[in-house]
Amino acid sequence: MATGTGTGTQVGTGTQTGAAGRTRGSGTALTTGRAGSGGGRLRRGLLAALVAAAVVVPVSAAASPNVPAPAPATFSEDATPRSRYAANSANLAEAARTAEDADRPGRAARLRAMSAAGAARFLTFDGRGRGRAVEVFGELESADRVAVLVPGSDTTLDTYERFRAGAVSLQQRLQAGHPRSAVVAWLGYDTPGTVSTTVLSADRADAAAGELAPFLEQLRGMAGPGARISLLCHSYGSVVCARTATGSAVSDMALFGSPGTGAGSARELPTGARVWAGRGSGDWIGDVPHVRFGGIGFGTDPVAPAFGARAFAAGSVGHSDYLKPGTESLDSLAAIVLGTTPASEADHG
């Protein structure tokens, strides 16, 4: 999901602009009249409806059937990535058979596609319900550059292929410039439905942050010695990242297609990482109001100069296109991961 606007100094080639002829919100929190006033309540109600409509209209929710599946594999804290890959591959194959036996051929086919004939590498897999999966692309144990992709709303096992496609595209781009790189596609939380009230609040993000933070610490021990880890956070995933205490595990955090974070500035985020933000001129999320009140909405636009993030060039991409091959946004994100993008602003912290 998402909201937002504003422009900032761009890094990389090109400049970032809003959609032609459109005026976007300022990214500042909106205040209403004094508590209890009828006018204030009316304004709050109208703005809530506006935010919901702006988010819901352009998209449709994905189905998430309650399909039976085996319990996920469990591991000791010191389990190696390769032992996890093997156990999760077996669990994924069993989940596909279970779905087939339950007369859910669609889910079974999607799970078989995920397995890539047993070649896929999953650190985590849970086929129950909407599902969870954490997949590795590249040689994690020797990688000194690692990107962790955090997805937005309606990313489930039933829509996983589009998430995977972005991870594959990023890995191919990174490999071209730095062979010792890896990408981790982290579907480690229950994403909100795009057409739902949950996508307008941070509740799912707060729960996800509690899962992502320890994973990042664990990942540091799995990757190559001294690996540089970057968080790439799309849409509602940027809300998750912005609430995750990263400690010293993460060097860079990139927010793209973001609805806001719930924070007023990058300085307020619980991270010491460099914070980047970018949005394509074709991304509909730029037309969503950046307001926050009563726990609804996410406030300041991350690409607005007032937020204080480093800006990166995203070209003309739409909301789902940031990781497509050949795009300026993909080049910028790869440069952030590799540490080759020149800084345009001082660190926010």
Side-chain angles (χ1 to χ4, degrees):
M1 86 139 272
T3 68
T5 138
T7 58
T9 303
Q10 296 300 320
V11 174
T13 60
T15 58
Q16 184 178 23
T17 62
R22 294 176 180 170
T23 301
R24 296 176 176 175
S26 64
T28 56
L30 184 68
T31 58
T32 59
R34 60 185 176 84
S37 70
R41 287 194 298 271
L42 176 60
R43 284 192 292 274
R44 288 192 293 271
L46 289 174
L47 283 168
L50 179 60
V51 172
V55 171
V56 168
V57 169
V59 291
S60 59
S64 296
N66 185 17
V67 180
T74 58
F75 304 97
S76 63
E77 289 189 8
D78 60 351
T80 65
R82 294 192 180 279
S83 67
R84 291 170 180 268
Y85 299 157
N88 285 316
S89 178
N91 189 271
L92 175 53
E94 179 61 24
R97 289 190 293 270
T98 302
E100 194 73 59
D101 292 343
D103 197 26
R104 304 307 292 261
R107 170 63 74 89
R110 285 185 282 272
L111 293 178
R112 285 194 292 270
M114 285 179 66
S115 73
R121 299 174 172 184
F122 287 95
L123 292 173
T124 299
F125 175 77
D126 186 347
R128 299 172 297 182
R130 293 167 63 90
R132 297 190 183 192
V134 178
E135 187 172 7
V136 174
F137 302 87
E139 297 298 330
L140 178 61
E141 291 167 292
S142 62
D144 60 10
R145 297 290 187 275
V146 180
V148 179
L149 291 180
V150 180
S153 61
D154 277 331
T155 307
T156 69
L157 295 186
D158 294 309
T159 62
Y160 186 77
E161 280 306 309
R162 70 187 184 193
F163 181 42
R164 171 184 264 174
V168 170
S169 175
L170 176 61
Q171 174 60 2
Q172 291 173 344
R173 179 64 183 79
L174 292 173
Q175 286 278 304
H178 191 84
R180 290 182 61 196
S181 60
V183 173
V184 178
W186 189 81
L187 177 54
Y189 77 111
D190 292 327
T191 64
T194 302
V195 184
S196 70
T197 57
T198 55
V199 80
L200 299 176
S201 78
D203 291 348
R204 294 287 179 92
D206 287 334
E211 300 286 344
L212 180 56
F215 171 76
L216 293 171
E217 283 297 327
Q218 191 174 36
L219 180 64
R220 188 162 58 169
M222 295 181 184
R228 173 193 178 105
I229 298 175
S230 301
L231 270 178
L232 306 187
C233 319
H234 178 239
S235 197
Y236 189 88
S238 66
V239 186
V240 175
C241 292
R243 303 176 108 73
T244 301
T246 64
S248 59
V250 175
S251 63
D252 293 86
M253 178 186 296
L255 315 175
F256 52 104
S258 175
T261 64
S265 72
R267 293 178 182 274
E268 297 176 18
L269 305 185
T271 182
R274 287 180 291 270
V275 179
W276 302 80
R279 184 170 57 240
S281 61
D283 189 342
W284 59 262
I285 210 153
D287 297 318
V288 177
H290 278 286
V291 296
R292 179 173 174 78
F293 47 87
I296 300 297
F298 301 106
T300 307
D301 186 353
V303 304
F307 188 74
R310 299 176 181 223
F312 69 85
S316 60
V317 296
H319 189 65
S320 301
D321 303 331
Y322 288 89
L323 296 175
K324 282 192 173 181
T327 58
E328 187 174 17
S329 53
L330 177 63
D331 288 344
S332 292
L333 289 167
I336 290 170
V337 174
L338 297 179
T340 58
T341 300
S344 64
E345 301 175 66
D347 287 346
H348 73 269

